[in-house]
Amino acid sequence: MDSLPALDRDASPEALPDSPAAEAPTFLDRLFDAGLLVRTGVDGLYGRSGAFESVVEALDRLVSRLGADDKAEVMRFPPGMSRSTFERSGYLKGFPHLAGTVHSFCGNEADHARLLACVEAGKDWTEKQAATDIVLTPAACYPLYPTAAARGPLPQGGLLFDLQSYCFRHEPSLEPTRMQLFRMREYVRMGSPDEVLAFREVWLDRGTKMMAGLGLPLAVDLANDPFFGRAGKMLANNQRNQNLKFELNVPVNSVEKPTACLSFNYHQDHFGTTWGLTQADGSVAHTACVGFGLERITLALLRHHGLDLDAWPADVRATLWG
Amino acid sequence: MDSLPALDRDASPEALPDSPAAEAPTFLDRLFDAGLLVRTGVDGLYGRSGAFESVVEALDRLVSRLGADDKAEVMRFPPGMSRSTFERSGYLKGFPHLAGTVHSFCGNEADHARLLACVEAGKDWTEKQAATDIVLTPAACYPLYPTAAARGPLPQGGLLFDLQSYCFRHEPSLEPTRMQLFRMREYVRMGSPDEVLAFREVWLDRGTKMMAGLGLPLAVDLANDPFFGRAGKMLANNQRNQNLKFELNVPVNSVEKPTACLSFNYHQDHFGTTWGLTQADGSVAHTACVGFGLERITLALLRHHGLDLDAWPADVRATLWG
């Protein structure tokens, strides 16, 4: 990864305007007060105003424009995926604490009466809910790998996909950048190690230029996924030692703990092996993806350019809304 | 409801082109074969191609244009809502069988090891999952009512909202029009009975013209929601007797059982009473909504104009992508 773009790795305190005093409302409170996010009573679960959505949609179009020449195949999955696919994906090994399974009522009328009595009495009515065949999508690319593998070996030169979906992660938080339901845009490359690493290089460059062009202070850093438990620490170390994950960080909640707005991931042959996805020559396919956290980038823009979209710098507005 | 538009209530068999012979592939199979929908292994859970999404997006914009003059407040909620809000909404009384609760792993490392052993052995690993604070959104407007009520009494003249979200209903089916996860666009009106009924009249007219303009055979019919159990039959009858729900039906899977693509609902004071939502004069607010099943309308277009979007009638293409 010698060709990583040289970036300022120490965002200065000046990079975060209007840092609130101790008694001042938090950034989340200010987003609520401005009506940009809407309270639901659950941490990390918010409604979005039309203004907020207009930024998300503009970012989505911007990412499309940056990748347009590559002619990725567009595919969109709903926010839930097959449970059996999810089980086979290996997600539960690394991130059992983040997953969300969907459960439903399968009882008769007597069971229904008991359920309603529980709700009425404020007791737990969810124990009788039974797992359905659906699990919430943890990352936009998870439903893609078995879909691609079902088509047979990759063509010469591999494949490139364009994805976006709502994703779920069970990590209630008061940081507005850590939502339980959020949208992730992704490009996913499948092919030889050289092909997928070249893809990641291209997007490290494009993503960095995109975010700098939006007037955001940033740093690209080696990173790891939030693996569960002690064994997870080893997995995280391995991931770092092999330079598998980079994140593009922007100070949003604080300068000390900047927010990963984009991530650049090399999965090696993990998904290829898991799903029997092969290259044209029969060898196992490698994969890589670049992910854009659409709400996180929106929040970074709101933090740095202010809560009034009309007052954003003219060049940023031009980039988003031409 | 004397002013309901006069419509052909008996779609003729000619209204459904290319009805397949007994051995021929089903409409769902043809959608898979054309790559418009993508198999996930779960009935009612599908990926969408870029072409399919381009229709959904065009319909979404068309609905925006039709409603633009009304200056509805745009709000977007994620595909999950607060469980306590959901409990209070009354949805569980009518539709316990359709709801989806989100459950997560809350154990330690030993629990994790047991979970993985269950997955490995093909045993049920979901029993230990615990309900989170989130339930999948059953209809786009459910998260809105408490949000609106929290603002205080409605202003004079009431309010109008513009919503869209993925919704979940646990009803696995091989009919492509009955998805478990699908997108619903909605306008929601809150105000006096006269105001919300006038809103419904306007959209009965606009929605009918919109669908006719897309070259679709249709009928507007009195309808009821799929209430659960024997008590549900009575609720359904009441709903019909009071003309509370109309659906705009288009033959898609069959002429005998056409598909509700739009619905026009008068909730009377149900949500107003449930959420303490009041009019400017302090009396309880009435509400109504019009819902557009974006995947269902897309499927109706594919069924009637063919699976090749480029070959659709020029006027339909102009209306969508003009």
Side-chain angles (χ1 to χ4, degrees), chain A residues 240-251:
Chain A
R240 281 182 173 266
N241 291 338
Q242 295 179 83
N243 288 351
L244 298 183
K245 186 181 191 74
F246 291 90
E247 289 177 342
L248 189 155
N249 289 307
V250 179

Side-chain angles (χ1 to χ4, degrees), chain B residues 4-261:
Chain B
L4 256 186
L7 287 164
D8 175 17
R9 281 161 193 276
D10 295 298
S12 70
E14 290 86 335
L16 203 55
D18 305 316
S19 287
E23 304 81 12
T26 64
F27 183 44
L28 181 58
D29 289 332
R30 291 169 56 216
L31 292 162
F32 287 147
D33 292 346
L36 287 157
L37 291 183
V38 178
R39 285 183 178 85
T40 70
V42 177
D43 293 340
L45 183 76
Y46 310 117
R48 285 86 160 143
S49 73
F52 190 100
E53 285 295 293
S54 73
V55 181
V56 168
E57 288 167 12
L59 288 168
D60 211 19
R61 288 192 301 268
L62 176 58
V63 172
S64 293
R65 287 200 299 276
L66 292 177
D69 286 347
D70 304 336
K71 305 205 182 311
E73 179 178 342
V74 176
M75 211 174 274
R76 293 289 180 265
F77 291 93
M81 63 183 286
S82 149
R83 179 152 64 87
S84 66
T85 296
F86 179 81
E87 290 166 0
R88 188 168 156 188
S89 75
Y91 191 84
L92 284 166
K93 287 183 188 155
F95 318 103
H97 54 309
L98 299 178
T101 43
V102 178
H103 297 228
S104 279
F105 170 80
C106 301
N108 59 23
E109 292 189 60
D111 298 319
H112 184 213
R114 279 189 286 272
L115 184 161
L116 292 180
C118 276
V119 173
E120 186 70 28
K123 291 184 186 159
D124 183 12
W125 58 275
T126 62
E127 283 183 6
K128 292 287 182 67
Q129 297 282 100
T132 69
D133 290 337
I134 296 178
V135 176
L136 294 184
T137 307
C141 58
Y142 267 70
L144 175 66
Y145 302 106
T147 299
R151 293 184 182 176
L154 297 175
Q156 196 71 41
L159 286 176
L160 175 66
F161 292 94
D162 169 341
L163 304 173
Q164 200 249 67
S165 87
Y166 256 103
C167 300
F168 175 81
R169 294 188 188 169
H170 186 241
E171 44 179 1
S173 167
L174 287 172
E175 290 181 357
T177 49
R178 197 166 291 283
M179 295 187 184
Q180 297 198 61
L181 278 162
F182 59 94
R183 274 160 293 184
M184 187 188 297
R185 175 76 183 270
E186 280 196 50
Y187 287 106
V188 182
R189 185 78 167 97
M190 306 175 176
S192 70
D194 284 353
E195 284 164 349
V196 309
L197 281 168
F199 158 87
R200 190 172 69 159
E201 283 298 300
V202 165
W203 275 106
L204 270 162
D205 183 53
R206 282 182 188 162
T208 303
K209 284 181 178 149
M210 174 185 117
M211 295 294 275
L214 292 171
L216 296 172
L218 60 90
V220 172
D221 296 305
L222 193 60
N224 60 266
D225 287 309
F227 294 102
F228 181 77
R230 276 169 304 172
K233 288 210 170 51
M234 203 170 66
L235 293 171
N237 286 338
N238 286 347
Q239 197 180 24
R240 281 184 175 267
N241 291 339
Q242 295 179 81
N243 288 351
L244 298 183
K245 186 182 190 73
F246 291 90
E247 290 176 340
L248 189 154
N249 288 307
V250 179
V252 180
N253 304 300
S254 74
V255 173
E256 297 73 27
K257 286 178 58 185
T259 297
C261 292

Side-chain angles (χ1 to χ4, degrees), chain A residues 85-108:
Chain A
T85 295
F86 179 81
E87 290 167 359
R88 188 168 156 190
S89 74
Y91 191 85
L92 285 166
K93 286 183 188 156
F95 318 103
H97 54 309
L98 298 179
T101 45
V102 179
H103 296 229
S104 278
F105 169 80
C106 301
N108 58 24

Side-chain angles (χ1 to χ4, degrees), chain B residues 248-318:
Chain B
L248 189 154
N249 288 307
V250 179
V252 180
N253 304 300
S254 74
V255 173
E256 297 73 27
K257 286 178 58 185
T259 297
C261 292
L262 280 68
S263 75
F264 312 88
N265 307 283
Y266 175 34
H267 316 123
Q268 299 174 306
D269 64 355
H270 171 70
F271 290 115
T273 302
T274 300
W275 295 108
L277 182 68
T278 56
Q279 301 180 54
D281 67 4
S283 60
V284 64
H286 283 232
T287 62
C289 69
V290 50
F292 302 80
L294 295 177
E295 278 84 359
R296 285 186 171 184
I297 307 173
T298 300
L299 291 165
L301 289 165
L302 291 165
R303 186 75 177 88
H304 287 276
H305 301 318
L307 304 191
D308 178 4
L309 275 56
D310 293 332
W312 284 7
D315 59 330
V316 173
R317 290 187 52 85

